[in-house]
Amino acid sequence: MKLNWIISFVVVVMGMQGCRSLPVEKQLNKTLLRVDQVGAGQMPAEPEKVQSPFTAWNVQRPTFPMRQDTVWPNDDIQGKLDQLAAQGGGTLVLKGHHHTGRITLKSHINLKLDEGSVLEFKNEINDFLPVVFTRNEGVELYSLGACIYANGAENIAITGSGRIIGPGEGSVRNKTMTHDVIENIVDSNTPVEQRIYDGKTADFIFPPALIAPINSKRVWIEGVSLERTAFWNIVPTYCEDVVIRGVHIQSMGIPRGDGIDIESCNRVLVEYCTLNTGDDCIAVKAGRGYDGLRVNRPSQDIVVRYCFSEKGHGGFTIGSETAGMAKHVYVHDCVFGKTNVGIRFKTRRPRGGGGSDIYFERIRMQEVESALRWDMLGQAQHVGNQASRDFEVQKNALTPHFSNIQIKDIYIDAAKNCIKIEGIPESVLENVYINRVFGRGDRYLLIKDAKNIKIKNSVFVCKDTSVSTINVSGLIQDRVRVMTEAP
């Protein structure tokens, strides 16, 4: 451990002279996007082509049959939607303020919320029965599903400028399972069709997300505002070709009130969204534990751009459910405001998976607790003794692993920790390349259980300039300047 520290320190000192002529702070501050250039208010009429280091595709706006119907307050939304679907699809326009139970979208339907309209969901379990197939926190089961749900649909959309409001106080919230982690409640050996949670088979339910299509293709969500969710807000699961743009999400103060969670999906674009959330703003997930390994579906080819994570636990998070792996993820040109963490990699020893080939660039962080954070152990309340790196765990099927991560052109205005890495001894974090970062914070660098970490062409202004390492090999700092105050 002491040798690691000495090597790191020497590299920093040798790299200072080469870094004096590199005005990293000014260059990044000038070139990176600011708050008034990102988020829902800045969304252009049409999305530009997706270009990532891993893939490229032209974004095609969905088209629908010309037929249209209008829903007024007290009309039967589901009845009109089913009737429109039976005719081959079209656009269902909502006007006014609606109170409803669960809505199930069908193929070739555009649910459009007219300006000033409100779609408010009821608050009792009976409003969301019968139970439907869903995935809750990475585990498959049958429960309430989502306020707006779809299963096996193609070419569906939720558009317009109206508001979508989740259930208020009632049995949905009062009977939500909160007393344990889900893998201890839902036995992975139980057949999925027998995992029924309707408030009767057990004295609790798994709550509905606001919007959660599953097994669907060509999903488009644009322009709407979401608030007061009972659980996660937007959760595409096992979906392909998903676009989420110009959405405003407000779930501050709501536990597990994630903004956008991408669950085992392929080809997803998230752009120009504004998020104030009670948990992570945007997250990529891929199943939990043995159930996630059984399904074994990755989240891949994900692009997030021009978003404003204003407040929340994480500006952008990978995990903590990643059993099927997250890969080919590209996040660029975003602003993270007052989030607890800026970029976060979050796994747990008993949850499996991990991620690889993940690329971040041109990110501005305003005020965060940890800017670049790897948290692979978790908390004792969730995983018991396994939350301690001193608790020995042998490598097994559920051992997570992260590797091949690039982070470039990052401006950190204020942080308690600029870089904080906590891997796990039996599966160290590998191959992380950090280039062109300006960071201002309390502490520069803490690393545990990692291999081949390279930091290059960067400047950090920190109260604590020390480098702390445990079980670290291959740490390289090239042209890195660390100082207690700006020259």
Side-chain angles (χ1 to χ4, degrees), residues 75-322:
D75 284 350
D76 179 3
I77 298 176
Q78 190 66 56
K80 286 205 168 189
L81 190 151
D82 291 345
Q83 184 179 27
L84 194 61
Q87 296 171 340
T91 299
L92 189 68
V93 181
L94 270 63
K95 293 181 178 289
H97 194 136
H98 300 261
H99 287 86
T100 182
R102 180 175 60 220
I103 295 172
T104 301
L105 288 183
K106 305 292 178 67
S107 295
H108 310 297
I109 293 289
N110 175 17
L111 181 65
K112 183 177 180 180
L113 280 71
D114 203 26
E115 184 177 359
S117 65
V118 177
L119 181 57
E120 182 174 358
F121 287 89
K122 297 179 180 179
N123 52 13
E124 302 299 336
I125 292 173
N126 285 339
D127 298 319
F128 296 88
L129 295 179
V131 295
V132 293
F133 173 65
T134 187
R135 200 187 211 188
N136 191 285
E137 293 189 298
V139 176
E140 292 185 345
L141 49 82
Y142 284 80
S143 196
L144 306 194
C147 296
I148 302 178
Y149 176 78
N151 187 358
E154 293 189 23
N155 197 44
I156 57 175
I158 302 167
T159 63
S161 58
R163 296 161 59 204
I164 301 174
I165 303 176
E169 289 302 319
S171 59
V172 168
R173 292 181 181 273
N174 295 339
K175 289 203 170 186
T176 289
M177 196 287 290
T178 58
H179 61 277
D180 206 341
V181 290
I182 192 170
E183 59 263 41
N184 293 339
I185 299 297
V186 182
D187 187 347
S188 61
N189 293 316
T190 300
V192 175
E193 61 271 14
Q194 295 178 22
R195 304 173 187 176
I196 298 173
Y197 298 89
D198 57 4
K200 300 172 185 176
T201 55
D203 192 35
F204 56 83
I205 50 90
F206 292 95
L210 261 185
I211 302 173
I214 192 168
N215 293 321
S216 297
K217 295 181 179 179
R218 300 194 304 279
V219 177
W220 191 283
I221 302 170
E222 180 181 51
V224 292
S225 296
L226 281 64
E227 55 192 270
R228 203 180 70 189
T229 187
F231 184 49
W232 299 347
N233 279 274
I234 301 177
V235 195
T237 304
Y238 308 152
C239 290
E240 187 173 311
D241 291 319
V242 178
V243 175
I244 304 168
R245 64 190 310 260
V247 169
H248 192 284
I249 295 177
Q250 174 60 254
S251 61
M252 288 295 297
I254 297 175
R256 298 189 296 175
D258 290 21
I260 299 170
D261 290 288
I262 301 162
E263 275 259 13
S264 295
C265 291
N266 182 30
R267 230 171 14 255
V268 178
L269 169 65
V270 179
E271 67 171 8
Y272 292 103
C273 293
T274 299
L275 307 106
N276 286 270
T277 66
D279 209 314
D280 291 327
C281 293
I282 304 173
V284 174
K285 301 173 180 287
R288 182 189 295 220
Y290 286 113
D291 202 61
L293 291 181
R294 174 186 61 81
V295 174
N296 194 28
R297 294 183 65 167
S299 276
Q300 60 186 359
D301 290 332
I302 314 296
V303 174
V304 176
R305 62 191 186 187
Y306 313 127
C307 288
F308 181 29
S309 294
E310 188 170 2
K311 293 181 181 178
H313 287 192
F316 185 90
T317 299
I318 305 282
S320 60
E321 304 90 346
T322 58

Side-chain angles (χ1 to χ4, degrees), residues 349-350 377-393:
R349 273 171 159 169
L377 286 168
Q379 298 174 321
Q381 69 186 81
H382 296 138
V383 295
N385 291 334
Q386 294 190 64
S388 170
R389 71 174 304 278
D390 296 325
F391 183 81
E392 187 174 349
V393 174

